[in-house]
Amino acid sequence: MGSRPTALVLYNWRGQWPMRRWEHQRIFAWKSYFPGSVAFLNIGFPFNPTWITRLDPDLVMIDATALAARYTRIGLGGLRRAMDATPGRARRVAAPLDEFLGLQALRDLLVEARIDLLLTALEPALWDEVYPVDQRPYALRRFLTAYVDDRLMRRTSSDLAARPISVSYRAWETPAWLGEMGRLKREVGLRAQAWAQAGGHRADVAVDGQRRLVGEAWIRLLGASRAVVGVEGGSSLVDPKGDLPTSDPTSGRSAGWMPPSSAIVLAPGAEIRAMSPRHLEAVATRTFQVLVEGDYSGVLEAGVHYQPVRRDLSDIDAALDRSQDPQRAQAMVDRAYEEIVASGRYSWRAVVGDIARQVLA
Protein backbone atom coordinates (compact mmCIF):
# COMPACT_ATOMS: atom_id res chain seq x y z
CA MET A 1 0.00 0.00 0.00
CA GLY A 2 3.06 2.29 0.07
CA SER A 3 2.77 5.31 2.41
CA ARG A 4 0.23 5.26 5.19
CA PRO A 5 -3.25 5.58 3.68
CA THR A 6 -6.16 7.67 4.93
CA ALA A 7 -9.65 6.26 5.46
CA LEU A 8 -12.93 8.10 5.93
CA VAL A 9 -15.82 6.33 7.68
CA LEU A 10 -19.27 7.71 6.93
CA TYR A 11 -22.03 6.92 9.42
CA ASN A 12 -25.43 8.33 10.31
CA TRP A 13 -26.37 8.40 13.97
CA ARG A 14 -29.01 10.51 15.65
CA GLY A 15 -30.33 7.74 17.88
CA GLN A 16 -29.90 6.57 21.45
CA TRP A 17 -26.54 7.05 23.14
CA PRO A 18 -24.63 5.09 24.13
CA MET A 19 -24.94 2.84 21.10
CA ARG A 20 -25.29 -0.87 21.41
CA ARG A 21 -21.79 -2.26 21.71
CA TRP A 22 -21.72 -4.00 18.35
CA GLU A 23 -22.95 -0.87 16.54
CA HIS A 24 -20.19 1.20 18.09
CA GLN A 25 -17.58 -1.41 17.23
CA ARG A 26 -18.73 -1.70 13.61
CA ILE A 27 -18.17 2.02 13.08
CA PHE A 28 -15.15 2.78 15.23
CA ALA A 29 -13.14 -0.45 14.90
CA TRP A 30 -11.54 1.20 11.87
CA LYS A 31 -9.76 3.65 14.16
CA SER A 32 -8.09 0.79 16.04
CA TYR A 33 -7.25 -1.56 13.20
CA PHE A 34 -6.92 0.34 9.92
CA PRO A 35 -3.22 0.58 8.89
CA GLY A 36 -3.24 4.34 8.53
CA SER A 37 -5.10 7.44 9.66
CA VAL A 38 -8.89 7.42 10.01
CA ALA A 39 -11.45 10.22 10.04
CA PHE A 40 -15.17 9.91 10.84
CA LEU A 41 -18.12 11.91 9.56
CA ASN A 42 -21.67 11.67 10.95
CA ILE A 43 -23.82 12.64 7.97
CA GLY A 44 -26.86 12.82 10.25
CA PHE A 45 -25.86 16.39 11.09
CA PRO A 46 -25.01 19.34 8.82
CA PHE A 47 -21.51 19.17 7.36
CA ASN A 48 -19.34 20.99 4.83
CA PRO A 49 -18.69 18.66 1.86
CA THR A 50 -15.47 20.50 0.97
CA TRP A 51 -13.94 19.01 4.12
CA ILE A 52 -14.11 15.59 2.46
CA THR A 53 -12.47 16.90 -0.70
CA ARG A 54 -9.63 18.47 1.30
CA LEU A 55 -9.17 15.28 3.32
CA ASP A 56 -8.60 13.40 0.03
CA PRO A 57 -9.10 9.91 1.51
CA ASP A 58 -7.69 6.79 -0.09
CA LEU A 59 -10.65 4.72 1.14
CA VAL A 60 -14.22 5.66 2.04
CA MET A 61 -16.12 3.18 4.21
CA ILE A 62 -19.89 3.69 4.09
CA ASP A 63 -21.35 2.15 7.21
CA ALA A 64 -24.78 0.52 7.31
CA THR A 65 -26.18 3.49 9.23
CA ALA A 66 -25.12 5.85 6.42
CA LEU A 67 -26.69 3.57 3.81
CA ALA A 68 -29.90 3.52 5.86
CA ALA A 69 -30.11 7.26 5.22
CA ARG A 70 -31.67 6.28 1.86
CA TYR A 71 -35.00 5.76 3.65
CA THR A 72 -35.56 9.54 3.96
CA ARG A 73 -35.17 12.38 1.49
CA ILE A 74 -33.01 14.43 3.87
CA GLY A 75 -30.81 11.45 4.75
CA LEU A 76 -30.31 10.48 1.12
CA GLY A 77 -29.40 14.06 0.28
CA GLY A 78 -26.69 14.06 2.94
CA LEU A 79 -25.20 10.81 1.69
CA ARG A 80 -25.20 12.06 -1.89
CA ARG A 81 -23.41 15.28 -0.88
CA ALA A 82 -20.74 13.25 0.89
CA MET A 83 -20.20 10.92 -2.06
CA ASP A 84 -20.18 13.78 -4.59
CA ALA A 85 -17.41 15.45 -2.57
CA THR A 86 -15.32 12.27 -2.44
CA PRO A 87 -12.33 12.45 -4.81
CA GLY A 88 -12.59 10.11 -7.77
CA ARG A 89 -9.40 8.24 -6.86
CA ALA A 90 -10.78 7.06 -3.50
CA ARG A 91 -11.75 3.42 -3.19
CA ARG A 92 -15.33 3.06 -2.00
CA VAL A 93 -16.59 0.30 0.29
CA ALA A 94 -20.20 -0.16 1.42
CA ALA A 95 -21.45 -2.41 4.24
CA PRO A 96 -25.28 -2.52 4.36
CA LEU A 97 -27.46 -4.32 6.89
CA ASP A 98 -31.15 -5.14 6.40
CA GLU A 99 -30.53 -5.75 2.71
CA PHE A 100 -34.08 -7.04 2.39
CA LEU A 101 -35.52 -3.50 2.90
CA GLY A 102 -35.82 -1.02 0.01
CA LEU A 103 -33.70 -3.37 -2.08
CA GLN A 104 -33.97 -1.62 -5.44
CA ALA A 105 -33.14 1.75 -3.88
CA LEU A 106 -30.05 0.15 -2.34
CA ARG A 107 -28.99 -1.34 -5.67
CA ASP A 108 -29.39 2.02 -7.38
CA LEU A 109 -27.47 3.84 -4.64
CA LEU A 110 -24.53 1.45 -4.82
CA VAL A 111 -24.17 2.13 -8.53
CA GLU A 112 -24.66 5.88 -8.16
CA ALA A 113 -22.01 6.04 -5.41
CA ARG A 114 -19.56 4.10 -7.61
CA ILE A 115 -18.92 1.45 -4.98
CA ASP A 116 -15.84 -0.73 -5.54
CA LEU A 117 -16.53 -3.38 -2.89
CA LEU A 118 -19.80 -4.42 -1.28
CA LEU A 119 -19.57 -6.13 2.09
CA THR A 120 -22.67 -8.30 2.43
CA ALA A 121 -24.00 -10.49 5.22
CA LEU A 122 -25.95 -12.57 2.71
CA GLU A 123 -25.11 -16.17 1.98
CA PRO A 124 -23.09 -16.40 -1.28
CA ALA A 125 -25.87 -18.52 -2.81
CA LEU A 126 -28.12 -15.42 -2.70
CA TRP A 127 -25.70 -12.91 -4.19
CA ASP A 128 -26.73 -13.17 -7.83
CA GLU A 129 -30.43 -13.09 -6.93
CA VAL A 130 -30.21 -10.05 -4.67
CA TYR A 131 -27.50 -8.24 -6.66
CA PRO A 132 -27.89 -9.34 -10.30
CA VAL A 133 -24.57 -9.59 -12.14
CA ASP A 134 -25.64 -7.18 -14.87
CA GLN A 135 -26.49 -4.54 -12.23
CA ARG A 136 -23.37 -4.65 -10.08
CA PRO A 137 -20.17 -2.97 -11.27
CA TYR A 138 -18.55 -3.83 -7.93
CA ALA A 139 -16.99 -6.83 -6.20
CA LEU A 140 -18.71 -8.64 -3.32
CA ARG A 141 -17.23 -10.00 -0.11
CA ARG A 142 -19.02 -11.81 2.69
CA PHE A 143 -19.04 -9.73 5.84
CA LEU A 144 -20.43 -10.68 9.22
CA THR A 145 -22.80 -8.38 11.08
CA ALA A 146 -20.12 -8.10 13.79
CA TYR A 147 -16.64 -9.27 14.72
CA VAL A 148 -14.70 -9.61 17.96
CA ASP A 149 -12.53 -6.75 19.17
CA ASP A 150 -9.33 -7.09 21.21
CA ARG A 151 -10.98 -5.95 24.43
CA LEU A 152 -13.67 -8.62 24.23
CA MET A 153 -11.04 -11.24 23.40
CA ARG A 154 -9.13 -10.37 26.57
CA ARG A 155 -12.21 -10.50 28.78
CA THR A 156 -12.13 -13.19 31.45
CA SER A 157 -15.25 -15.28 32.04
CA SER A 158 -16.32 -17.22 35.10
CA ASP A 159 -17.20 -20.91 34.89
CA LEU A 160 -20.83 -21.57 34.05
CA ALA A 161 -21.49 -23.30 37.37
CA ALA A 162 -20.69 -20.07 39.24
CA ARG A 163 -23.11 -17.87 37.30
CA PRO A 164 -26.30 -16.74 39.08
CA ILE A 165 -28.66 -16.48 36.08
CA SER A 166 -29.87 -19.66 34.35
CA VAL A 167 -31.01 -18.07 31.09
CA SER A 168 -31.11 -14.59 29.60
CA TYR A 169 -32.46 -12.98 26.45
CA ARG A 170 -33.44 -9.65 24.94
CA ALA A 171 -35.68 -8.88 21.96
CA TRP A 172 -37.73 -5.96 20.73
CA GLU A 173 -41.41 -6.27 19.94
CA THR A 174 -40.92 -7.29 16.33
CA PRO A 175 -43.26 -5.93 13.64
CA ALA A 176 -45.11 -8.29 11.34
CA TRP A 177 -43.11 -7.10 8.33
CA LEU A 178 -40.22 -9.27 9.53
CA GLY A 179 -42.46 -12.27 8.90
CA GLU A 180 -41.87 -15.66 10.51
CA MET A 181 -38.32 -14.70 11.49
CA GLY A 182 -39.69 -11.86 13.60
CA ARG A 183 -42.21 -14.14 15.31
CA LEU A 184 -39.45 -16.57 16.25
CA LYS A 185 -37.38 -13.80 17.88
CA ARG A 186 -40.19 -13.18 20.35
CA GLU A 187 -41.38 -16.75 20.82
CA VAL A 188 -37.97 -18.17 21.71
CA GLY A 189 -37.71 -15.71 24.59
CA LEU A 190 -41.18 -16.46 25.88
CA ARG A 191 -40.47 -20.18 25.82
CA ALA A 192 -37.21 -19.70 27.73
CA GLN A 193 -39.05 -17.66 30.34
CA ALA A 194 -41.70 -20.36 30.71
CA TRP A 195 -39.00 -23.02 31.14
CA ALA A 196 -37.37 -20.99 33.92
CA GLN A 197 -40.64 -20.40 35.74
CA ALA A 198 -41.64 -24.07 35.56
CA GLY A 199 -38.30 -25.26 36.89
CA GLY A 200 -37.66 -22.59 39.49
CA HIS A 201 -34.67 -21.18 37.56
CA ARG A 202 -33.61 -17.56 37.62
CA ALA A 203 -34.15 -15.82 34.27
CA ASP A 204 -33.51 -12.34 32.89
CA VAL A 205 -35.67 -12.28 29.75
CA ALA A 206 -37.47 -9.38 28.03
CA VAL A 207 -39.15 -9.43 24.63
CA ASP A 208 -40.88 -6.04 24.57
CA GLY A 209 -37.86 -3.82 23.97
CA GLN A 210 -38.45 -1.94 27.23
CA ARG A 211 -35.41 -3.34 29.05
CA ARG A 212 -32.93 -2.67 26.29
CA LEU A 213 -29.27 -3.02 27.24
CA VAL A 214 -26.62 -0.81 25.66
CA GLY A 215 -22.88 -0.38 25.98
CA GLU A 216 -21.29 -2.99 28.21
CA ALA A 217 -24.53 -3.85 30.03
CA TRP A 218 -25.39 -6.68 27.61
CA ILE A 219 -21.90 -8.17 27.96
CA ARG A 220 -22.23 -8.10 31.74
CA LEU A 221 -25.57 -9.90 31.52
CA LEU A 222 -24.10 -12.60 29.28
CA GLY A 223 -21.18 -13.00 31.68
CA ALA A 224 -23.62 -13.62 34.54
CA SER A 225 -25.74 -16.13 32.57
CA ARG A 226 -25.29 -19.85 32.12
CA ALA A 227 -27.33 -19.88 28.91
CA VAL A 228 -28.80 -17.55 26.33
CA VAL A 229 -31.42 -18.39 23.72
CA GLY A 230 -31.64 -16.98 20.23
CA VAL A 231 -32.30 -17.22 16.53
CA GLU A 232 -30.56 -15.91 13.42
CA GLY A 233 -31.19 -12.33 12.37
CA GLY A 234 -33.06 -11.71 9.15
CA SER A 235 -36.47 -11.57 7.58
CA SER A 236 -39.08 -13.73 5.88
CA LEU A 237 -40.10 -10.80 3.67
CA VAL A 238 -38.15 -8.99 0.95
CA ASP A 239 -39.15 -5.39 0.21
CA PRO A 240 -37.96 -4.56 -3.33
CA LYS A 241 -39.73 -1.20 -3.66
CA GLY A 242 -39.53 0.16 -0.12
CA ASP A 243 -43.25 -0.26 0.57
CA LEU A 244 -42.97 -1.84 4.03
CA PRO A 245 -43.88 0.63 6.85
CA THR A 246 -40.43 0.58 8.46
CA SER A 247 -40.59 4.20 9.65
CA ASP A 248 -43.28 3.28 12.19
CA PRO A 249 -41.99 0.72 14.74
CA THR A 250 -45.54 -0.09 15.84
CA SER A 251 -46.76 -0.85 12.34
CA GLY A 252 -47.80 -4.27 11.23
CA ARG A 253 -48.56 -5.62 14.71
CA SER A 254 -52.28 -6.15 14.26
CA ALA A 255 -53.41 -9.72 13.77
CA GLY A 256 -54.91 -8.97 10.36
CA TRP A 257 -51.89 -7.15 8.90
CA MET A 258 -50.98 -8.19 5.35
CA PRO A 259 -47.78 -7.29 3.50
CA PRO A 260 -48.04 -5.01 0.46
CA SER A 261 -48.40 -6.73 -2.89
CA SER A 262 -44.87 -5.71 -3.85
CA ALA A 263 -43.34 -7.68 -0.95
CA ILE A 264 -41.89 -11.13 -1.57
CA VAL A 265 -42.81 -13.69 1.10
CA LEU A 266 -40.07 -16.29 1.54
CA ALA A 267 -40.85 -19.87 2.51
CA PRO A 268 -39.69 -21.21 5.91
CA GLY A 269 -36.07 -22.28 5.55
CA ALA A 270 -35.51 -19.95 2.58
CA GLU A 271 -35.46 -16.67 4.52
CA ILE A 272 -32.68 -14.09 4.43
CA ARG A 273 -30.73 -15.04 7.54
CA ALA A 274 -27.40 -14.21 9.18
CA MET A 275 -25.63 -14.67 12.48
CA SER A 276 -26.31 -11.68 14.72
CA PRO A 277 -23.68 -9.83 16.80
CA ARG A 278 -25.04 -11.24 20.07
CA HIS A 279 -24.08 -14.77 18.99
CA LEU A 280 -20.40 -13.83 18.75
CA GLU A 281 -20.66 -11.94 22.04
CA ALA A 282 -22.04 -15.07 23.71
CA VAL A 283 -19.12 -17.10 22.37
CA ALA A 284 -16.69 -14.50 23.71
CA THR A 285 -18.29 -14.60 27.18
CA ARG A 286 -18.41 -18.44 27.10
CA THR A 287 -22.17 -18.50 27.51
CA PHE A 288 -24.04 -21.67 26.51
CA GLN A 289 -26.18 -20.91 23.46
CA VAL A 290 -29.53 -22.59 22.82
CA LEU A 291 -30.37 -21.52 19.28
CA VAL A 292 -32.97 -22.28 16.65
CA GLU A 293 -31.16 -24.47 14.14
CA GLY A 294 -29.59 -22.58 11.23
CA ASP A 295 -26.43 -21.80 9.28
CA TYR A 296 -25.28 -18.82 11.40
CA SER A 297 -23.19 -17.42 8.54
CA GLY A 298 -21.12 -20.59 8.45
CA VAL A 299 -19.46 -19.68 11.76
CA LEU A 300 -21.43 -21.60 14.42
CA GLU A 301 -21.88 -25.35 14.00
CA ALA A 302 -24.84 -27.09 15.61
CA GLY A 303 -23.89 -29.54 18.34
CA VAL A 304 -20.33 -28.21 18.34
CA HIS A 305 -20.67 -24.52 19.19
CA TYR A 306 -24.32 -24.33 20.23
CA GLN A 307 -27.24 -26.52 21.28
CA PRO A 308 -29.75 -26.56 18.39
CA VAL A 309 -33.54 -26.60 18.75
CA ARG A 310 -36.15 -27.20 16.07
CA ARG A 311 -37.93 -24.26 14.48
CA ASP A 312 -41.19 -25.23 16.19
CA LEU A 313 -39.34 -25.02 19.55
CA SER A 314 -40.78 -28.39 20.57
CA ASP A 315 -37.45 -29.45 22.10
CA ILE A 316 -36.38 -26.16 23.70
CA ASP A 317 -37.06 -27.36 27.25
CA ALA A 318 -34.77 -30.37 26.77
CA ALA A 319 -32.10 -28.13 25.23
CA LEU A 320 -32.22 -25.71 28.15
CA ASP A 321 -32.04 -28.65 30.57
CA ARG A 322 -28.68 -29.51 28.97
CA SER A 323 -27.39 -26.07 29.88
CA GLN A 324 -27.69 -27.12 33.52
CA ASP A 325 -25.14 -29.92 33.03
CA PRO A 326 -21.97 -28.01 34.04
CA GLN A 327 -19.44 -30.42 32.57
CA ARG A 328 -21.12 -30.82 29.19
CA ALA A 329 -22.06 -27.15 28.83
CA GLN A 330 -18.60 -25.92 29.86
CA ALA A 331 -16.93 -28.19 27.32
CA MET A 332 -19.08 -26.75 24.53
CA VAL A 333 -18.51 -23.08 25.40
CA ASP A 334 -14.77 -23.62 25.83
CA ARG A 335 -14.57 -25.30 22.41
CA ALA A 336 -16.54 -22.49 20.79
CA TYR A 337 -14.30 -19.88 22.39
CA GLU A 338 -11.08 -21.53 21.24
CA GLU A 339 -12.23 -22.13 17.66
CA ILE A 340 -14.06 -18.85 17.05
CA VAL A 341 -12.63 -16.18 19.36
CA ALA A 342 -9.13 -17.24 20.42
CA SER A 343 -8.28 -18.25 16.84
CA GLY A 344 -8.62 -14.62 15.73
CA ARG A 345 -10.43 -15.67 12.55
CA TYR A 346 -13.44 -13.51 13.31
CA SER A 347 -11.73 -10.46 14.80
CA TRP A 348 -12.04 -6.85 13.75
CA ARG A 349 -8.25 -6.73 13.56
CA ALA A 350 -8.21 -9.46 10.91
CA VAL A 351 -11.14 -8.28 8.79
CA VAL A 352 -10.22 -4.58 8.68
CA GLY A 353 -6.68 -5.49 7.64
CA ASP A 354 -7.95 -7.88 4.96
CA ILE A 355 -10.33 -5.29 3.50
CA ALA A 356 -7.65 -2.60 3.44
CA ARG A 357 -5.26 -4.91 1.61
CA GLN A 358 -7.94 -5.96 -0.86
CA VAL A 359 -9.11 -2.50 -1.91
CA LEU A 360 -5.82 -0.59 -1.62
CA ALA A 361 -3.55 -3.17 -3.27
PDB file of all heavy atoms in Angstrom, residues 302-319:
ATOM      1  N   ALA A 302     -23.911 -26.460  14.674  1.00  0.00           N
ATOM      2  CA  ALA A 302     -24.845 -27.089  15.610  1.00  0.00           C
ATOM      3  C   ALA A 302     -24.220 -28.300  16.276  1.00  0.00           C
ATOM      4  O   ALA A 302     -23.552 -29.116  15.637  1.00  0.00           O
ATOM      5  CB  ALA A 302     -26.118 -27.505  14.869  1.00  0.00           C
ATOM      6  N   GLY A 303     -24.422 -28.416  17.593  1.00  0.00           N
ATOM      7  CA  GLY A 303     -23.891 -29.536  18.343  1.00  0.00           C
ATOM      8  C   GLY A 303     -22.423 -29.417  18.683  1.00  0.00           C
ATOM      9  O   GLY A 303     -21.895 -30.196  19.481  1.00  0.00           O
ATOM     10  N   VAL A 304     -21.751 -28.448  18.079  1.00  0.00           N
ATOM     11  CA  VAL A 304     -20.326 -28.211  18.338  1.00  0.00           C
ATOM     12  C   VAL A 304     -20.139 -26.902  19.101  1.00  0.00           C
ATOM     13  O   VAL A 304     -19.451 -26.838  20.120  1.00  0.00           O
ATOM     14  CB  VAL A 304     -19.519 -28.175  17.029  1.00  0.00           C
ATOM     15  CG1 VAL A 304     -18.042 -27.853  17.303  1.00  0.00           C
ATOM     16  CG2 VAL A 304     -19.644 -29.500  16.286  1.00  0.00           C
ATOM     17  N   HIS A 305     -20.794 -25.849  18.588  1.00  0.00           N
ATOM     18  CA  HIS A 305     -20.669 -24.518  19.191  1.00  0.00           C
ATOM     19  C   HIS A 305     -21.945 -24.053  19.883  1.00  0.00           C
ATOM     20  O   HIS A 305     -21.907 -23.093  20.653  1.00  0.00           O
ATOM     21  CB  HIS A 305     -20.278 -23.493  18.132  1.00  0.00           C
ATOM     22  CG  HIS A 305     -19.028 -23.837  17.386  1.00  0.00           C
ATOM     23  ND1 HIS A 305     -18.950 -23.866  16.006  1.00  0.00           N
ATOM     24  CD2 HIS A 305     -17.799 -24.205  17.830  1.00  0.00           C
ATOM     25  CE1 HIS A 305     -17.741 -24.202  15.640  1.00  0.00           C
ATOM     26  NE2 HIS A 305     -17.020 -24.413  16.716  1.00  0.00           N
ATOM     27  N   TYR A 306     -23.066 -24.692  19.580  1.00  0.00           N
ATOM     28  CA  TYR A 306     -24.324 -24.329  20.232  1.00  0.00           C
ATOM     29  C   TYR A 306     -25.253 -25.526  20.264  1.00  0.00           C
ATOM     30  O   TYR A 306     -25.095 -26.481  19.497  1.00  0.00           O
ATOM     31  CB  TYR A 306     -24.996 -23.155  19.514  1.00  0.00           C
ATOM     32  CG  TYR A 306     -25.617 -23.476  18.166  1.00  0.00           C
ATOM     33  CD1 TYR A 306     -26.959 -23.834  18.048  1.00  0.00           C
ATOM     34  CD2 TYR A 306     -24.869 -23.400  16.995  1.00  0.00           C
ATOM     35  CE1 TYR A 306     -27.542 -24.106  16.822  1.00  0.00           C
ATOM     36  CE2 TYR A 306     -25.441 -23.675  15.755  1.00  0.00           C
ATOM     37  CZ  TYR A 306     -26.768 -24.031  15.668  1.00  0.00           C
ATOM     38  OH  TYR A 306     -27.342 -24.300  14.450  1.00  0.00           O
ATOM     39  N   GLN A 307     -26.229 -25.471  21.165  1.00  0.00           N
ATOM     40  CA  GLN A 307     -27.238 -26.521  21.280  1.00  0.00           C
ATOM     41  C   GLN A 307     -28.416 -26.163  20.373  1.00  0.00           C
ATOM     42  O   GLN A 307     -29.111 -25.174  20.617  1.00  0.00           O
ATOM     43  CB  GLN A 307     -27.702 -26.649  22.726  1.00  0.00           C
ATOM     44  CG  GLN A 307     -28.773 -27.702  22.941  1.00  0.00           C
ATOM     45  CD  GLN A 307     -28.274 -29.099  22.616  1.00  0.00           C
ATOM     46  OE1 GLN A 307     -27.188 -29.490  23.022  1.00  0.00           O
ATOM     47  NE2 GLN A 307     -29.070 -29.850  21.868  1.00  0.00           N
ATOM     48  N   PRO A 308     -28.670 -26.927  19.311  1.00  0.00           N
ATOM     49  CA  PRO A 308     -29.752 -26.562  18.394  1.00  0.00           C
ATOM     50  C   PRO A 308     -31.120 -26.991  18.903  1.00  0.00           C
ATOM     51  O   PRO A 308     -31.262 -27.982  19.622  1.00  0.00           O
ATOM     52  CB  PRO A 308     -29.378 -27.339  17.124  1.00  0.00           C
ATOM     53  CG  PRO A 308     -28.675 -28.560  17.640  1.00  0.00           C
ATOM     54  CD  PRO A 308     -27.922 -28.121  18.869  1.00  0.00           C
ATOM     55  N   VAL A 309     -32.143 -26.227  18.505  1.00  0.00           N
ATOM     56  CA  VAL A 309     -33.537 -26.604  18.750  1.00  0.00           C
ATOM     57  C   VAL A 309     -34.295 -26.476  17.430  1.00  0.00           C
ATOM     58  O   VAL A 309     -33.926 -25.688  16.559  1.00  0.00           O
ATOM     59  CB  VAL A 309     -34.206 -25.732  19.834  1.00  0.00           C
ATOM     60  CG1 VAL A 309     -33.503 -25.887  21.165  1.00  0.00           C
ATOM     61  CG2 VAL A 309     -34.224 -24.262  19.428  1.00  0.00           C
ATOM     62  N   ARG A 310     -35.352 -27.239  17.294  1.00  0.00           N
ATOM     63  CA  ARG A 310     -36.154 -27.203  16.070  1.00  0.00           C
ATOM     64  C   ARG A 310     -36.898 -25.881  15.950  1.00  0.00           C
ATOM     65  O   ARG A 310     -37.170 -25.211  16.951  1.00  0.00           O
ATOM     66  CB  ARG A 310     -37.126 -28.382  16.049  1.00  0.00           C
ATOM     67  CG  ARG A 310     -36.435 -29.726  15.857  1.00  0.00           C
ATOM     68  CD  ARG A 310     -37.449 -30.846  15.640  1.00  0.00           C
ATOM     69  NE  ARG A 310     -38.109 -31.222  16.898  1.00  0.00           N
ATOM     70  CZ  ARG A 310     -37.661 -32.155  17.726  1.00  0.00           C
ATOM     71  NH1 ARG A 310     -36.536 -32.810  17.449  1.00  0.00           N
ATOM     72  NH2 ARG A 310     -38.329 -32.436  18.828  1.00  0.00           N
ATOM     73  N   ARG A 311     -37.272 -25.534  14.728  1.00  0.00           N
ATOM     74  CA  ARG A 311     -37.932 -24.257  14.484  1.00  0.00           C
ATOM     75  C   ARG A 311     -39.278 -24.152  15.193  1.00  0.00           C
ATOM     76  O   ARG A 311     -39.743 -23.052  15.505  1.00  0.00           O
ATOM     77  CB  ARG A 311     -38.109 -24.027  12.979  1.00  0.00           C
ATOM     78  CG  ARG A 311     -36.812 -23.729  12.244  1.00  0.00           C
ATOM     79  CD  ARG A 311     -37.083 -23.548  10.760  1.00  0.00           C
ATOM     80  NE  ARG A 311     -37.928 -22.405  10.494  1.00  0.00           N
ATOM     81  CZ  ARG A 311     -37.488 -21.158  10.289  1.00  0.00           C
ATOM     82  NH1 ARG A 311     -36.196 -20.916  10.346  1.00  0.00           N
ATOM     83  NH2 ARG A 311     -38.335 -20.170  10.031  1.00  0.00           N
ATOM     84  N   ASP A 312     -39.918 -25.294  15.454  1.00  0.00           N
ATOM     85  CA  ASP A 312     -41.189 -25.231  16.189  1.00  0.00           C
ATOM     86  C   ASP A 312     -40.983 -25.166  17.698  1.00  0.00           C
ATOM     87  O   ASP A 312     -41.952 -25.129  18.464  1.00  0.00           O
ATOM     88  CB  ASP A 312     -42.079 -26.416  15.816  1.00  0.00           C
ATOM     89  CG  ASP A 312     -41.477 -27.765  16.215  1.00  0.00           C
ATOM     90  OD1 ASP A 312     -40.413 -27.798  16.876  1.00  0.00           O
ATOM     91  OD2 ASP A 312     -42.067 -28.795  15.851  1.00  0.00           O
ATOM     92  N   LEU A 313     -39.719 -25.161  18.137  1.00  0.00           N
ATOM     93  CA  LEU A 313     -39.335 -25.016  19.545  1.00  0.00           C
ATOM     94  C   LEU A 313     -39.852 -26.159  20.419  1.00  0.00           C
ATOM     95  O   LEU A 313     -39.899 -26.043  21.648  1.00  0.00           O
ATOM     96  CB  LEU A 313     -39.811 -23.675  20.124  1.00  0.00           C
ATOM     97  CG  LEU A 313     -39.385 -22.411  19.342  1.00  0.00           C
ATOM     98  CD1 LEU A 313     -39.894 -21.160  20.054  1.00  0.00           C
ATOM     99  CD2 LEU A 313     -37.878 -22.349  19.180  1.00  0.00           C
ATOM    100  N   SER A 314     -40.219 -27.277  19.812  1.00  0.00           N
ATOM    101  CA  SER A 314     -40.778 -28.394  20.574  1.00  0.00           C
ATOM    102  C   SER A 314     -39.765 -29.034  21.512  1.00  0.00           C
ATOM    103  O   SER A 314     -40.158 -29.705  22.480  1.00  0.00           O
ATOM    104  CB  SER A 314     -41.337 -29.454  19.618  1.00  0.00           C
ATOM    105  OG  SER A 314     -40.323 -29.921  18.731  1.00  0.00           O
ATOM    106  N   ASP A 315     -38.487 -28.835  21.258  1.00  0.00           N
ATOM    107  CA  ASP A 315     -37.450 -29.448  22.099  1.00  0.00           C
ATOM    108  C   ASP A 315     -36.645 -28.419  22.883  1.00  0.00           C
ATOM    109  O   ASP A 315     -35.558 -28.716  23.376  1.00  0.00           O
ATOM    110  CB  ASP A 315     -36.512 -30.306  21.241  1.00  0.00           C
ATOM    111  CG  ASP A 315     -35.875 -29.522  20.090  1.00  0.00           C
ATOM    112  OD1 ASP A 315     -36.367 -28.414  19.777  1.00  0.00           O
ATOM    113  OD2 ASP A 315     -34.919 -30.027  19.485  1.00  0.00           O
ATOM    114  N   ILE A 316     -37.170 -27.198  23.029  1.00  0.00           N
ATOM    115  CA  ILE A 316     -36.380 -26.163  23.695  1.00  0.00           C
ATOM    116  C   ILE A 316     -36.206 -26.443  25.184  1.00  0.00           C
ATOM    117  O   ILE A 316     -35.157 -26.146  25.764  1.00  0.00           O
ATOM    118  CB  ILE A 316     -36.984 -24.763  23.459  1.00  0.00           C
ATOM    119  CG1 ILE A 316     -35.991 -23.680  23.915  1.00  0.00           C
ATOM    120  CG2 ILE A 316     -38.335 -24.614  24.151  1.00  0.00           C
ATOM    121  CD1 ILE A 316     -36.380 -22.276  23.524  1.00  0.00           C
ATOM    122  N   ASP A 317     -37.198 -27.048  25.826  1.00  0.00           N
ATOM    123  CA  ASP A 317     -37.056 -27.356  27.250  1.00  0.00           C
ATOM    124  C   ASP A 317     -35.909 -28.337  27.474  1.00  0.00           C
ATOM    125  O   ASP A 317     -35.091 -28.162  28.393  1.00  0.00           O
ATOM    126  CB  ASP A 317     -38.357 -27.939  27.803  1.00  0.00           C
ATOM    127  CG  ASP A 317     -39.449 -26.892  27.964  1.00  0.00           C
ATOM    128  OD1 ASP A 317     -39.163 -25.696  27.694  1.00  0.00           O
ATOM    129  OD2 ASP A 317     -40.570 -27.246  28.338  1.00  0.00           O
ATOM    130  N   ALA A 318     -35.847 -29.379  26.646  1.00  0.00           N
ATOM    131  CA  ALA A 318     -34.771 -30.365  26.773  1.00  0.00           C
ATOM    132  C   ALA A 318     -33.411 -29.724  26.507  1.00  0.00           C
ATOM    133  O   ALA A 318     -32.414 -30.047  27.172  1.00  0.00           O
ATOM    134  CB  ALA A 318     -35.014 -31.525  25.808  1.00  0.00           C
ATOM    135  N   ALA A 319     -33.358 -28.808  25.535  1.00  0.00           N
ATOM    136  CA  ALA A 319     -32.097 -28.130  25.228  1.00  0.00           C
ATOM    137  C   ALA A 319     -31.646 -27.262  26.392  1.00  0.00           C
ATOM    138  O   ALA A 319     -30.464 -27.226  26.745  1.00  0.00           O
ATOM    139  CB  ALA A 319     -32.255 -27.302  23.963  1.00  0.00           C
TER     140      ALA A 319
END
